[in-house]
Amino acid sequence: MPSRVRVWLNRTYAENVFFMDQLRRNPSDRAVEIHATHGDPDSPVLAAADTAELEPEGLSPAAYVEYALDQCARRGIDVFVPRLHQAAVVAHRAEFSAAGTALLAPTPEAVAVFEDKATAYEAVRSVGVPVPPWRRVRTADELISAVAELEAAGHQACFKPAAGAGGVGFRVITRAPLSLAALAGFPGPQVQLGPVVEALRRAEEPVNWLVMPRLEQPEVSVDCLTGPDNRLRLAVGRTKNGRRRGFTLDERWLEPARLVAEGFGLHHLSNIQFRMLGDRPVLLDVNTRPAGGLHQLSLCGVNAPWAAVRLALGEDPGVIEPPFLGQDYTVVSGLRPLAPVALPRQRAGAGETVLPAVPAPVRAAETAQALPL
């Protein structure tokens, strides 16, 4: 009988409770135990895990690697899916391997390329992947110049941090004065150019922003599974157009994603995002980790998390073709139990931190669920 697989997710997104569910419901009927760590005691992933711990705060990347190696040794981790300090962790792949732990993560070189969006755009453009026009800005004068250049070409300018994830720091530049109509609605991403320039002039240090055109929908996120031999095993696009979501195997999206995933060593799970510039798709972002919405591929009959774990363990799943493309759907919030307030608690005599998979619902967190339209 195959042995159980012990998987660790560190400080991951709340939506990855579904990633964990899919590992447990794997088509190989293999026993999977999940360890989770997080800095937030109210993260749903802690309650969803079989064992869990709060992570220490303030560790340097090097200190975090030591902490991670200790976790893997003490917990008997077979597969580690690192998000926090991914670059530092993958640089020590050999040490994790010596401890008996496989890393479900790309090469150090790939992580380095895609940590900075400007560096990433330069790199992928060199292999023929279309990118939007962009400028790196650090000062108020550079921002003014970049915005004027884009507006002269007929674009609306936006900016975002050159390093970051999840849309944090994304803003759309407007020259329209603040109006009562704008204040009557929900807060949005638009900011007036003048206050942004003033804030930059007051800042004690330069920023590191990417200024580019505001790209149009649809957004297509291509979930990729790539082997250590640089061959793609799986690529499915998830389309987003307002509330409506769907799936695509259109080569307009898959071919450039394949060039990126195979050409830059994006081993295991990655997510490559595109949007429209006029009538052509261009690269938006590259995530060197599993996307929060990866579980949505289950609507196409695909269990991508389990295929990735098998690949990390050296069990090549082969090329995976979705047996069908699921119908269009939307994402809604649902309830998910949280761990008891007293975290951690100990199993008597075991010396191991244990959180029940379905604890008493002292508090509840919202997580996204996919429902058909």
Side-chain angles (χ1 to χ4, degrees), residues 62-122:
Y64 192 89
V65 169
E66 293 301 316
Y67 162 79
L69 284 166
D70 178 69
Q71 286 282 310
C72 290
R74 288 194 300 110
R75 300 289 183 175
I77 301 299
D78 299 300
V79 178
F80 177 21
V81 188
R83 190 198 68 82
L84 183 67
H85 294 309
Q86 186 189 62
V89 168
V90 298
H92 293 266
R93 190 183 300 270
E95 293 169 51
F96 284 95
S97 180
T101 301
L103 297 182
L104 202 157
T107 65
E109 295 78 11
V111 174
V113 167
F114 295 107
E115 274 187 316
D116 181 275
K117 292 178 174 61
T119 303
Y121 280 178
E122 287 281 13

Side-chain angles (χ1 to χ4, degrees), residues 5-24:
V5 179
R6 184 85 160 141
V7 180
W8 172 26
L9 287 82
N10 76 332
R11 208 172 292 213
T12 193
Y13 303 109
E15 202 173 9
N16 272 337
V17 295
F18 303 118
F19 185 104
M20 298 158 75
D21 290 345
Q22 285 191 284
L23 289 182
R24 292 192 178 102

Side-chain angles (χ1 to χ4, degrees), residues 165-331:
V168 174
F170 170 78
R171 298 292 186 273
V172 178
I173 292 287
T174 178
R175 294 180 183 268
L178 186 63
S179 67
L180 288 178
L183 293 175
F186 289 104
Q190 288 200 336
V191 292
Q192 282 72 32
L193 178 61
V196 177
V197 170
E198 291 174 12
L200 285 175
R201 295 202 191 283
R202 290 194 306 269
E204 296 180 0
E205 297 181 355
V207 296
N208 184 15
W209 290 348
L210 216 61
V211 177
M212 56 190 288
R214 183 179 188 180
L215 303 175
E216 301 302 323
Q217 293 183 328
E219 179 177 319
V220 177
S221 293
V222 182
D223 293 309
C224 296
L225 176 63
T226 310
D229 56 0
N230 291 331
R231 287 195 302 108
L232 205 64
R233 304 302 197 274
L234 169 71
V236 180
R238 288 184 287 113
T239 64
K240 305 176 186 179
N241 199 338
R243 180 169 292 191
R244 182 170 291 271
R245 311 292 177 91
F247 303 100
T248 181
L249 295 177
D250 191 322
E251 285 295 323
R252 287 194 308 160
W253 316 100
L254 267 56
E255 178 55 26
R258 185 179 294 110
L259 286 172
V260 174
E262 295 185 340
F264 291 94
L266 284 174
H267 299 167
H268 304 293
L269 289 169
S270 61
N271 178 258
I272 303 168
Q273 301 170 358
F274 302 88
R275 271 198 175 223
M276 300 300 292
L277 180 64
D279 59 356
R280 67 184 183 124
V282 294
L283 184 74
L284 176 63
D285 205 358
V286 176
N287 295 309
T288 60
R289 54 168 174 76
L294 179 69
H295 65 280
Q296 294 163 16
L297 296 189
S298 64
L299 297 178
C300 299
V302 173
N303 188 327
W306 179 244
V309 165
R310 286 189 61 201
L311 191 59
L313 292 171
E315 305 169 8
D316 195 335
V319 175
I320 301 169
E321 297 284 351
F324 52 85
L325 292 183
Q327 72 181 89
D328 285 0
Y329 63 101
T330 191
V331 174

Side-chain angles (χ1 to χ4, degrees), residues 333-372:
S333 295
L335 296 177
R336 197 84 183 190
L338 290 182
V341 177
L343 181 91
R345 68 180 178 81
Q346 299 292 326
R347 179 188 292 161
E352 183 178 49
T353 305
V354 177
L355 296 176
V358 185
V362 179
R363 291 165 289 179
E366 289 190 352
T367 49
Q369 296 177 318
L371 295 178

